[in-house]
Amino acid sequence: MPITIADVAARANVSKTTVSRVLNGKGELDEATAARVRRVIDELGYVPSARAVGLARGRTRVVGMLVPSLTWPWMGDVLQGAVDVLETEQYGLLLFTCNRGEESMRLFSAQVSSKSFDGLLVIEPEGTLDTIRTLHLRGLPVVLIDDRAHEPIALPSVGTTNEAGAAEAARHLLGLGRLRPLVVSGPERFGCTDQRLHGFADVYAAAGHPISGDRVVVGDFTLGCGRDAVAAAVAAGVEFDAVFAHNDLSAAGAMQAALDAGRRVPHDVAVVGFDDIPLAAHTQPPLTTVRQPLREMGEVAARTLLAHFEGTPLPGTPTIIPSTLTIRGSTVAPDRAVLVPAP
């Protein structure tokens, strides 16, 4: 049988409350009594539950994290960034996914009710924002890893420069003389899709080369949507000399379809993605892409939450970490890259 706090109290001839005070360093205690309790703890080999000690101190030293799924290509980088910070500060991570929809959310809600963690990091599963907002308004510290400045009630968040990153991709392609890009967007319901589309299209329009509707294809962030978009454009006779895809998977699919159609990359068609997941450096040719600072976003979100536990207010505006353009062989060799300066 495991040794309990009751066993320690009985052997030391004190109450369980006194043992708890010794463990947590709380309250005024006679030094001789405290020394006796510590000696009994050593003799019995009692190891207190970390959760019990945390609750006695008013803190679990555990952070919850709610994500849609672990299968998203960039999820591991964000998680690793958060975990690096939490482990350094001796916090644990309780991870929740929404793979089972409402069933997953019921499990998550039960853990919230039992106060199993001190605060929450969120990569928003679709359809959960109202629940997350309600929890935050009720007092649960929450930090979103995303840009939520467009929400009516902004939540603390860490995001990146979707619009500026897409604009940089546009200036790069314009600098290479690519005037007829095909755009493979993400789902229309995602805020990043709108930001990336506007950032890219605005630069082309300002340069006198507006992007017509037949060169914008709504995708779903998969390899297949990029492949299908390019194949359909080729079959329909749409003229394009570049592809800007809203993530790296669809960019890789687009590049493969272009090659299958006999188009050389980058000579005939230059291809740019978004995210800079590990795959991007290993496509043939390697993919030029807008790098999201994924690990950094996880790190900053975790630091923001831990700082709040120590008394720092959560920020009222999004924390933005800039994206950067990583130039590889799918557009041009890096030493020949040209950028159109930002206005």
Side-chain angles (χ1 to χ4, degrees):
M1 293 288 291
I3 303 299
T4 68
I5 195 171
D7 297 326
V8 175
R11 174 74 71 87
N13 196 29
V14 297
S15 68
K16 289 190 291 184
T17 300
T18 298
V19 177
S20 179
R21 287 177 176 171
V22 171
L23 290 170
N24 294 296
K26 286 186 175 181
E28 297 293 330
L29 289 172
D30 174 71
E31 182 54 39
T33 300
R36 184 169 74 253
V37 170
R38 285 192 287 267
R39 184 172 64 252
V40 170
I41 288 172
D42 290 340
E43 290 173 354
L44 295 179
Y46 172 62
V47 179
S49 160
R51 174 173 165 75
V53 172
L55 289 173
R57 292 173 176 169
R59 186 178 299 175
T60 65
R61 296 195 73 83
V62 174
V63 166
M65 189 165 186
L66 179 64
V67 303
S69 169
L70 297 180
T71 61
W72 287 17
W74 47 263
M75 188 66 67
D77 282 337
V78 178
L79 283 172
Q80 191 61 59
V83 167
D84 286 346
V85 171
L86 295 174
E87 288 186 348
T88 298
E89 299 301 325
Q90 297 184 323
Y91 273 76
L93 179 69
L94 189 57
L95 182 63
F96 302 91
T97 71
C98 277
N99 290 325
R100 298 182 180 227
E102 291 184 4
E103 181 182 343
S104 296
M105 288 305 293
R106 281 195 296 271
L107 173 62
F108 168 71
S109 297
Q111 295 298 314
V112 173
S113 299
S114 65
K115 298 183 179 179
S116 298
F117 47 87
D118 300 326
L120 183 66
L121 301 174
V122 180
I123 300 172
E124 181 208 336
E126 191 171 356
T128 65
L129 190 60
D130 287 343
T131 298
I132 295 163
R133 184 187 288 112
T134 298
L135 292 174
H136 181 60
L137 293 175
R138 289 177 178 172
L140 179 67
V142 173
V143 178
L144 285 176
I145 303 175
D146 194 4
D147 183 359
R148 289 289 160 187
H150 61 282
E151 290 296 335
I153 302 176
L155 289 161
S157 65
V158 177
T160 190
T161 48
N162 285 297
E163 190 165 340
E168 189 174 11
R171 289 192 293 272
H172 173 59
L173 291 173
L174 280 169
L176 299 172
R178 307 299 175 128
L179 306 182
R180 300 183 304 279
L182 181 72
V183 178
V184 183
S185 79
E188 294 177 326
R189 65 185 181 275
F190 289 172
C192 64
T193 294
D194 184 65
Q195 294 163 357
R196 293 172 192 178
L197 186 58
H198 277 91
F200 190 82
D202 287 352
V203 169
Y204 266 87
H209 303 284
I211 299 172
S212 59
D214 65 339
R215 286 194 276 119
V216 178
V217 181
V218 178
D220 59 5
F221 288 148
T222 64
L223 195 78
C225 82
R227 183 178 59 243
D228 293 346
V230 167
V234 170
V238 176
E239 293 188 3
F240 62 96
D241 56 8
V243 177
F244 173 53
H246 282 192
N247 78 332
D248 290 342
L249 277 182
S250 52
M255 185 157 53
Q256 187 58 55
L259 293 169
D260 290 345
R263 310 287 180 91
R264 298 171 300 164
V265 178
H267 305 84
D268 302 320
V269 179
V271 181
V272 179
F274 208 109
D275 286 339
D276 201 16
I277 61 174
L279 168 71
H282 301 288
T283 57
Q284 291 299 324
L287 181 65
T288 292
T289 184
V290 180
R291 178 185 178 272
Q292 287 203 82
L294 299 167
R295 184 169 294 206
E296 295 93 326
M297 289 164 66
E299 291 172 351
V300 171
R303 287 196 193 102
T304 299
L305 201 54
L306 297 191
H308 176 69
F309 297 157
E310 301 303 322
T312 302
L314 290 170
T317 57
T319 301
I320 303 300
I321 307 173
S323 60
T324 54
L325 183 66
T326 300
I327 299 172
R328 299 191 180 101
S330 68
T331 54
V332 69
D335 61 352
R336 295 177 54 202
V338 179
L339 285 176
V340 175

PDB file of all heavy atoms in Angstrom, residues 57-82:
ATOM      1  N   ARG A  57      -1.307  24.667  -2.835  1.00  0.00           N
ATOM      2  CA  ARG A  57      -0.677  25.969  -3.057  1.00  0.00           C
ATOM      3  C   ARG A  57      -1.533  26.884  -3.929  1.00  0.00           C
ATOM      4  O   ARG A  57      -1.168  28.020  -4.197  1.00  0.00           O
ATOM      5  CB  ARG A  57       0.686  25.770  -3.739  1.00  0.00           C
ATOM      6  CG  ARG A  57       1.712  25.096  -2.851  1.00  0.00           C
ATOM      7  CD  ARG A  57       2.975  24.780  -3.623  1.00  0.00           C
ATOM      8  NE  ARG A  57       4.007  24.223  -2.749  1.00  0.00           N
ATOM      9  CZ  ARG A  57       5.128  23.666  -3.190  1.00  0.00           C
ATOM     10  NH1 ARG A  57       5.361  23.572  -4.480  1.00  0.00           N
ATOM     11  NH2 ARG A  57       6.009  23.194  -2.332  1.00  0.00           N
ATOM     12  N   GLY A  58      -2.665  26.373  -4.394  1.00  0.00           N
ATOM     13  CA  GLY A  58      -3.530  27.174  -5.250  1.00  0.00           C
ATOM     14  C   GLY A  58      -3.109  27.132  -6.703  1.00  0.00           C
ATOM     15  O   GLY A  58      -3.570  27.937  -7.511  1.00  0.00           O
ATOM     16  N   ARG A  59      -2.231  26.192  -7.065  1.00  0.00           N
ATOM     17  CA  ARG A  59      -1.746  26.114  -8.443  1.00  0.00           C
ATOM     18  C   ARG A  59      -1.353  24.676  -8.754  1.00  0.00           C
ATOM     19  O   ARG A  59      -0.752  23.992  -7.929  1.00  0.00           O
ATOM     20  CB  ARG A  59      -0.552  27.041  -8.647  1.00  0.00           C
ATOM     21  CG  ARG A  59      -0.080  27.141 -10.078  1.00  0.00           C
ATOM     22  CD  ARG A  59       1.068  28.115 -10.213  1.00  0.00           C
ATOM     23  NE  ARG A  59       0.699  29.460  -9.810  1.00  0.00           N
ATOM     24  CZ  ARG A  59       1.548  30.486  -9.738  1.00  0.00           C
ATOM     25  NH1 ARG A  59       2.832  30.274 -10.014  1.00  0.00           N
ATOM     26  NH2 ARG A  59       1.147  31.656  -9.370  1.00  0.00           N
ATOM     27  N   THR A  60      -1.702  24.200  -9.947  1.00  0.00           N
ATOM     28  CA  THR A  60      -1.371  22.824 -10.323  1.00  0.00           C
ATOM     29  C   THR A  60      -0.005  22.701 -10.971  1.00  0.00           C
ATOM     30  O   THR A  60       0.543  21.614 -11.060  1.00  0.00           O
ATOM     31  CB  THR A  60      -2.405  22.277 -11.318  1.00  0.00           C
ATOM     32  OG1 THR A  60      -2.322  23.021 -12.553  1.00  0.00           O
ATOM     33  CG2 THR A  60      -3.815  22.382 -10.768  1.00  0.00           C
ATOM     34  N   ARG A  61       0.531  23.824 -11.460  1.00  0.00           N
ATOM     35  CA  ARG A  61       1.744  23.837 -12.284  1.00  0.00           C
ATOM     36  C   ARG A  61       1.575  22.955 -13.511  1.00  0.00           C
ATOM     37  O   ARG A  61       2.504  22.290 -13.966  1.00  0.00           O
ATOM     38  CB  ARG A  61       2.981  23.442 -11.482  1.00  0.00           C
ATOM     39  CG  ARG A  61       3.317  24.426 -10.373  1.00  0.00           C
ATOM     40  CD  ARG A  61       4.711  24.235  -9.837  1.00  0.00           C
ATOM     41  NE  ARG A  61       5.727  24.695 -10.780  1.00  0.00           N
ATOM     42  CZ  ARG A  61       6.119  25.970 -10.907  1.00  0.00           C
ATOM     43  NH1 ARG A  61       5.551  26.915 -10.168  1.00  0.00           N
ATOM     44  NH2 ARG A  61       7.047  26.289 -11.770  1.00  0.00           N
ATOM     45  N   VAL A  62       0.361  22.973 -14.044  1.00  0.00           N
ATOM     46  CA  VAL A  62       0.040  22.295 -15.300  1.00  0.00           C
ATOM     47  C   VAL A  62      -0.676  23.296 -16.190  1.00  0.00           C
ATOM     48  O   VAL A  62      -1.527  24.058 -15.735  1.00  0.00           O
ATOM     49  CB  VAL A  62      -0.868  21.071 -15.069  1.00  0.00           C
ATOM     50  CG1 VAL A  62      -1.322  20.469 -16.403  1.00  0.00           C
ATOM     51  CG2 VAL A  62      -0.141  20.016 -14.237  1.00  0.00           C
ATOM     52  N   VAL A  63      -0.312  23.304 -17.460  1.00  0.00           N
ATOM     53  CA  VAL A  63      -0.972  24.148 -18.467  1.00  0.00           C
ATOM     54  C   VAL A  63      -1.734  23.241 -19.420  1.00  0.00           C
ATOM     55  O   VAL A  63      -1.208  22.210 -19.862  1.00  0.00           O
ATOM     56  CB  VAL A  63       0.055  25.001 -19.231  1.00  0.00           C
ATOM     57  CG1 VAL A  63      -0.555  25.617 -20.491  1.00  0.00           C
ATOM     58  CG2 VAL A  63       0.598  26.104 -18.326  1.00  0.00           C
ATOM     59  N   GLY A  64      -2.964  23.585 -19.714  1.00  0.00           N
ATOM     60  CA  GLY A  64      -3.731  22.858 -20.709  1.00  0.00           C
ATOM     61  C   GLY A  64      -3.472  23.409 -22.099  1.00  0.00           C
ATOM     62  O   GLY A  64      -3.127  24.587 -22.254  1.00  0.00           O
ATOM     63  N   MET A  65      -3.615  22.566 -23.089  1.00  0.00           N
ATOM     64  CA  MET A  65      -3.491  23.014 -24.473  1.00  0.00           C
ATOM     65  C   MET A  65      -4.549  22.311 -25.313  1.00  0.00           C
ATOM     66  O   MET A  65      -4.639  21.087 -25.304  1.00  0.00           O
ATOM     67  CB  MET A  65      -2.098  22.742 -25.024  1.00  0.00           C
ATOM     68  CG  MET A  65      -1.857  23.394 -26.383  1.00  0.00           C
ATOM     69  SD  MET A  65      -0.091  23.436 -26.795  1.00  0.00           S
ATOM     70  CE  MET A  65      -0.125  24.392 -28.320  1.00  0.00           C
ATOM     71  N   LEU A  66      -5.355  23.099 -25.990  1.00  0.00           N
ATOM     72  CA  LEU A  66      -6.447  22.589 -26.821  1.00  0.00           C
ATOM     73  C   LEU A  66      -6.098  22.820 -28.280  1.00  0.00           C
ATOM     74  O   LEU A  66      -5.824  23.958 -28.683  1.00  0.00           O
ATOM     75  CB  LEU A  66      -7.749  23.310 -26.464  1.00  0.00           C
ATOM     76  CG  LEU A  66      -9.001  22.931 -27.252  1.00  0.00           C
ATOM     77  CD1 LEU A  66      -9.374  21.471 -27.010  1.00  0.00           C
ATOM     78  CD2 LEU A  66     -10.159  23.854 -26.883  1.00  0.00           C
ATOM     79  N   VAL A  67      -6.100  21.738 -29.074  1.00  0.00           N
ATOM     80  CA  VAL A  67      -5.731  21.829 -30.490  1.00  0.00           C
ATOM     81  C   VAL A  67      -6.744  21.031 -31.314  1.00  0.00           C
ATOM     82  O   VAL A  67      -7.418  20.144 -30.791  1.00  0.00           O
ATOM     83  CB  VAL A  67      -4.302  21.301 -30.743  1.00  0.00           C
ATOM     84  CG1 VAL A  67      -3.283  22.044 -29.896  1.00  0.00           C
ATOM     85  CG2 VAL A  67      -4.219  19.800 -30.484  1.00  0.00           C
ATOM     86  N   PRO A  68      -6.854  21.329 -32.606  1.00  0.00           N
ATOM     87  CA  PRO A  68      -7.795  20.563 -33.439  1.00  0.00           C
ATOM     88  C   PRO A  68      -7.377  19.106 -33.613  1.00  0.00           C
ATOM     89  O   PRO A  68      -8.182  18.194 -33.477  1.00  0.00           O
ATOM     90  CB  PRO A  68      -7.773  21.310 -34.779  1.00  0.00           C
ATOM     91  CG  PRO A  68      -7.157  22.636 -34.491  1.00  0.00           C
ATOM     92  CD  PRO A  68      -6.221  22.416 -33.341  1.00  0.00           C
ATOM     93  N   SER A  69      -6.103  18.905 -33.943  1.00  0.00           N
ATOM     94  CA  SER A  69      -5.602  17.565 -34.255  1.00  0.00           C
ATOM     95  C   SER A  69      -4.085  17.603 -34.235  1.00  0.00           C
ATOM     96  O   SER A  69      -3.475  18.663 -34.432  1.00  0.00           O
ATOM     97  CB  SER A  69      -6.096  17.131 -35.637  1.00  0.00           C
ATOM     98  OG  SER A  69      -5.426  15.965 -36.076  1.00  0.00           O
ATOM     99  N   LEU A  70      -3.477  16.461 -34.001  1.00  0.00           N
ATOM    100  CA  LEU A  70      -2.018  16.383 -34.048  1.00  0.00           C
ATOM    101  C   LEU A  70      -1.506  16.077 -35.448  1.00  0.00           C
ATOM    102  O   LEU A  70      -0.295  15.978 -35.657  1.00  0.00           O
ATOM    103  CB  LEU A  70      -1.527  15.308 -33.076  1.00  0.00           C
ATOM    104  CG  LEU A  70      -1.839  15.565 -31.603  1.00  0.00           C
ATOM    105  CD1 LEU A  70      -1.298  14.426 -30.750  1.00  0.00           C
ATOM    106  CD2 LEU A  70      -1.268  16.901 -31.139  1.00  0.00           C
ATOM    107  N   THR A  71      -2.401  15.944 -36.411  1.00  0.00           N
ATOM    108  CA  THR A  71      -1.985  15.590 -37.766  1.00  0.00           C
ATOM    109  C   THR A  71      -1.661  16.803 -38.622  1.00  0.00           C
ATOM    110  O   THR A  71      -1.156  16.643 -39.724  1.00  0.00           O
ATOM    111  CB  THR A  71      -3.086  14.764 -38.469  1.00  0.00           C
ATOM    112  OG1 THR A  71      -4.290  15.547 -38.554  1.00  0.00           O
ATOM    113  CG2 THR A  71      -3.358  13.483 -37.712  1.00  0.00           C
ATOM    114  N   TRP A  72      -1.969  18.019 -38.145  1.00  0.00           N
ATOM    115  CA  TRP A  72      -1.624  19.199 -38.934  1.00  0.00           C
ATOM    116  C   TRP A  72      -0.112  19.262 -39.112  1.00  0.00           C
ATOM    117  O   TRP A  72       0.638  19.053 -38.145  1.00  0.00           O
ATOM    118  CB  TRP A  72      -2.127  20.459 -38.250  1.00  0.00           C
ATOM    119  CG  TRP A  72      -3.618  20.640 -38.323  1.00  0.00           C
ATOM    120  CD1 TRP A  72      -4.550  19.694 -38.621  1.00  0.00           C
ATOM    121  CD2 TRP A  72      -4.340  21.848 -38.084  1.00  0.00           C
ATOM    122  NE1 TRP A  72      -5.805  20.232 -38.586  1.00  0.00           N
ATOM    123  CE2 TRP A  72      -5.719  21.548 -38.269  1.00  0.00           C
ATOM    124  CE3 TRP A  72      -3.975  23.144 -37.746  1.00  0.00           C
ATOM    125  CZ2 TRP A  72      -6.715  22.509 -38.105  1.00  0.00           C
ATOM    126  CZ3 TRP A  72      -4.965  24.097 -37.590  1.00  0.00           C
ATOM    127  CH2 TRP A  72      -6.319  23.789 -37.770  1.00  0.00           C
ATOM    128  N   PRO A  73       0.385  19.566 -40.307  1.00  0.00           N
ATOM    129  CA  PRO A  73       1.819  19.451 -40.574  1.00  0.00           C
ATOM    130  C   PRO A  73       2.694  20.315 -39.676  1.00  0.00           C
ATOM    131  O   PRO A  73       3.834  19.943 -39.398  1.00  0.00           O
ATOM    132  CB  PRO A  73       1.932  19.896 -42.041  1.00  0.00           C
ATOM    133  CG  PRO A  73       0.589  19.644 -42.628  1.00  0.00           C
ATOM    134  CD  PRO A  73      -0.385  19.902 -41.524  1.00  0.00           C
ATOM    135  N   TRP A  74       2.185  21.473 -39.238  1.00  0.00           N
ATOM    136  CA  TRP A  74       3.042  22.368 -38.450  1.00  0.00           C
ATOM    137  C   TRP A  74       2.777  22.285 -36.950  1.00  0.00           C
ATOM    138  O   TRP A  74       3.385  23.006 -36.157  1.00  0.00           O
ATOM    139  CB  TRP A  74       2.870  23.813 -38.901  1.00  0.00           C
ATOM    140  CG  TRP A  74       1.454  24.285 -39.070  1.00  0.00           C
ATOM    141  CD1 TRP A  74       0.749  24.348 -40.231  1.00  0.00           C
ATOM    142  CD2 TRP A  74       0.567  24.781 -38.052  1.00  0.00           C
ATOM    143  NE1 TRP A  74      -0.517  24.838 -40.010  1.00  0.00           N
ATOM    144  CE2 TRP A  74      -0.651  25.113 -38.673  1.00  0.00           C
ATOM    145  CE3 TRP A  74       0.681  24.969 -36.682  1.00  0.00           C
ATOM    146  CZ2 TRP A  74      -1.741  25.631 -37.975  1.00  0.00           C
ATOM    147  CZ3 TRP A  74      -0.398  25.472 -35.973  1.00  0.00           C
ATOM    148  CH2 TRP A  74      -1.597  25.795 -36.629  1.00  0.00           C
ATOM    149  N   MET A  75       1.880  21.392 -36.534  1.00  0.00           N
ATOM    150  CA  MET A  75       1.490  21.333 -35.128  1.00  0.00           C
ATOM    151  C   MET A  75       2.664  20.991 -34.216  1.00  0.00           C
ATOM    152  O   MET A  75       2.806  21.535 -33.116  1.00  0.00           O
ATOM    153  CB  MET A  75       0.376  20.302 -34.948  1.00  0.00           C
ATOM    154  CG  MET A  75      -0.237  20.290 -33.553  1.00  0.00           C
ATOM    155  SD  MET A  75      -1.117  21.817 -33.160  1.00  0.00           S
ATOM    156  CE  MET A  75      -2.493  21.697 -34.322  1.00  0.00           C
ATOM    157  N   GLY A  76       3.529  20.090 -34.670  1.00  0.00           N
ATOM    158  CA  GLY A  76       4.641  19.665 -33.826  1.00  0.00           C
ATOM    159  C   GLY A  76       5.568  20.801 -33.450  1.00  0.00           C
ATOM    160  O   GLY A  76       6.053  20.866 -32.307  1.00  0.00           O
ATOM    161  N   ASP A  77       5.821  21.720 -34.383  1.00  0.00           N
ATOM    162  CA  ASP A  77       6.709  22.847 -34.086  1.00  0.00           C
ATOM    163  C   ASP A  77       6.114  23.753 -33.016  1.00  0.00           C
ATOM    164  O   ASP A  77       6.819  24.222 -32.111  1.00  0.00           O
ATOM    165  CB  ASP A  77       6.983  23.658 -35.357  1.00  0.00           C
ATOM    166  CG  ASP A  77       8.010  22.998 -36.252  1.00  0.00           C
ATOM    167  OD1 ASP A  77       8.806  22.186 -35.750  1.00  0.00           O
ATOM    168  OD2 ASP A  77       8.021  23.292 -37.462  1.00  0.00           O
ATOM    169  N   VAL A  78       4.822  24.045 -33.116  1.00  0.00           N
ATOM    170  CA  VAL A  78       4.171  24.895 -32.115  1.00  0.00           C
ATOM    171  C   VAL A  78       4.204  24.218 -30.748  1.00  0.00           C
ATOM    172  O   VAL A  78       4.540  24.843 -29.730  1.00  0.00           O
ATOM    173  CB  VAL A  78       2.719  25.208 -32.526  1.00  0.00           C
ATOM    174  CG1 VAL A  78       2.040  26.045 -31.446  1.00  0.00           C
ATOM    175  CG2 VAL A  78       2.676  25.955 -33.850  1.00  0.00           C
ATOM    176  N   LEU A  79       3.858  22.938 -30.715  1.00  0.00           N
ATOM    177  CA  LEU A  79       3.872  22.198 -29.457  1.00  0.00           C
ATOM    178  C   LEU A  79       5.262  22.176 -28.833  1.00  0.00           C
ATOM    179  O   LEU A  79       5.416  22.371 -27.624  1.00  0.00           O
ATOM    180  CB  LEU A  79       3.396  20.766 -29.690  1.00  0.00           C
ATOM    181  CG  LEU A  79       1.892  20.552 -29.848  1.00  0.00           C
ATOM    182  CD1 LEU A  79       1.621  19.112 -30.279  1.00  0.00           C
ATOM    183  CD2 LEU A  79       1.168  20.844 -28.549  1.00  0.00           C
ATOM    184  N   GLN A  80       6.275  21.948 -29.665  1.00  0.00           N
ATOM    185  CA  GLN A  80       7.629  21.873 -29.129  1.00  0.00           C
ATOM    186  C   GLN A  80       8.054  23.196 -28.525  1.00  0.00           C
ATOM    187  O   GLN A  80       8.710  23.234 -27.470  1.00  0.00           O
ATOM    188  CB  GLN A  80       8.610  21.450 -30.220  1.00  0.00           C
ATOM    189  CG  GLN A  80       9.994  21.090 -29.684  1.00  0.00           C
ATOM    190  CD  GLN A  80       9.937  19.913 -28.723  1.00  0.00           C
ATOM    191  OE1 GLN A  80       9.490  18.827 -29.078  1.00  0.00           O
ATOM    192  NE2 GLN A  80      10.372  20.124 -27.482  1.00  0.00           N
ATOM    193  N   GLY A  81       7.682  24.292 -29.186  1.00  0.00           N
ATOM    194  CA  GLY A  81       8.015  25.606 -28.633  1.00  0.00           C
ATOM    195  C   GLY A  81       7.380  25.819 -27.277  1.00  0.00           C
ATOM    196  O   GLY A  81       8.039  26.301 -26.331  1.00  0.00           O
ATOM    197  N   ALA A  82       6.105  25.456 -27.137  1.00  0.00           N
ATOM    198  CA  ALA A  82       5.425  25.612 -25.849  1.00  0.00           C
ATOM    199  C   ALA A  82       6.040  24.701 -24.794  1.00  0.00           C
ATOM    200  O   ALA A  82       6.296  25.118 -23.649  1.00  0.00           O
ATOM    201  CB  ALA A  82       3.940  25.320 -26.016  1.00  0.00           C
TER     202      ALA A  82
END
